[in-house]
Amino acid sequence: MLDKKKIEEAQENARRYLNEGLLSKQNFDKISYDMLVLNAEESLETANFLFKNNRSSLWVIVSSYYSMFYIANAVLCKLGYKVGDKIPHKVTSDALIVYVKDKLKQSLLEDYEEVKEEALLLAKNKAEGIIEDFDRERDKRGFIQYKTKVSAKRSKAETSLKRASEFRFEMEKLLQI
């Protein structure tokens, strides 16, 4: 779960990113949005292909992460935000916490409407878990690329692929808002 300190840090960072131009408010840009959605689809398809054909576990992880990164940026674009070129992965991570987490929680609540009381806690935990998955995959991508033996990569690749698929599924629901 996202702890209070992480949420506060993300809020502070987001304000700084806006002030420094690392994140900007903008009108909806359909061309950028369409490209981000297309890149997310292609990245997840690539990850699935590589995994099913028992190819590079490293690139299953990298492609899975990038599918999450692109769909997250599509959601941010839909909400009127554009991530700049400097430290885009960290900016995206913090922007998800600040601008998307509560919308995701609401979307999940709507999905779980029949069991509202249980759903509130479930949706909060799931929304935070999905956002945390993005950070886990960002960290794992770096670790796997540079510090992990080939034999250990396959199981980590499968986890990455599952996380990316769930992340994309939930983010796409936000694109319908």
Side-chain angles (χ1 to χ4, degrees), residues 104-116:
L104 181 59
K105 182 173 85 172
Q106 186 59 40
S107 172
L108 291 166
L109 274 174
E110 290 168 8
D111 289 349
Y112 299 125
E113 193 169 323
E114 294 175 9
V115 285
K116 281 188 177 178

Side-chain angles (χ1 to χ4, degrees), residues 47-111:
N48 273 309
F49 174 83
L50 293 170
F51 186 78
K52 286 177 184 172
N53 290 289
N54 202 23
R55 299 299 302 257
S56 172
S57 294
L58 166 66
W59 285 100
V60 171
I61 292 166
V62 171
S63 297
S64 295
Y65 167 74
Y66 272 98
S67 74
M68 296 167 78
F69 175 76
Y70 289 128
I71 200 70
N73 277 279
V75 169
L76 291 169
C77 180
K78 182 98 179 205
L79 296 173
Y81 293 94
K82 179 172 180 10
V83 174
D85 295 335
K86 293 182 181 173
I87 61 166
H89 300 276
K90 178 64 173 151
V91 173
T92 298
S93 177
D94 288 338
L96 284 173
I97 293 168
V98 174
Y99 303 113
V100 177
K101 179 178 64 74
D102 289 339
K103 288 178 179 15
L104 181 59
K105 182 173 85 172
Q106 186 59 40
S107 172
L108 291 166
L109 274 174
E110 290 168 8
D111 289 349

Side-chain angles (χ1 to χ4, degrees), residues 4 9 13 18 32 34 44-48 50 54 62-63 72 83-84 88 96 124-125 133 141 155-156 167:
K4 185 178 177 181
E9 177 185 306
N13 287 345
L18 286 167
S32 293
D34 288 344
L44 192 55
E45 287 171 9
T46 299
N48 273 309
L50 293 170
N54 202 23
V62 171
S63 297
V83 174
L96 284 173
K124 177 184 180 283
N125 290 340
D133 282 349
R141 176 191 54 98
S155 68
K156 293 186 182 310
F167 186 86

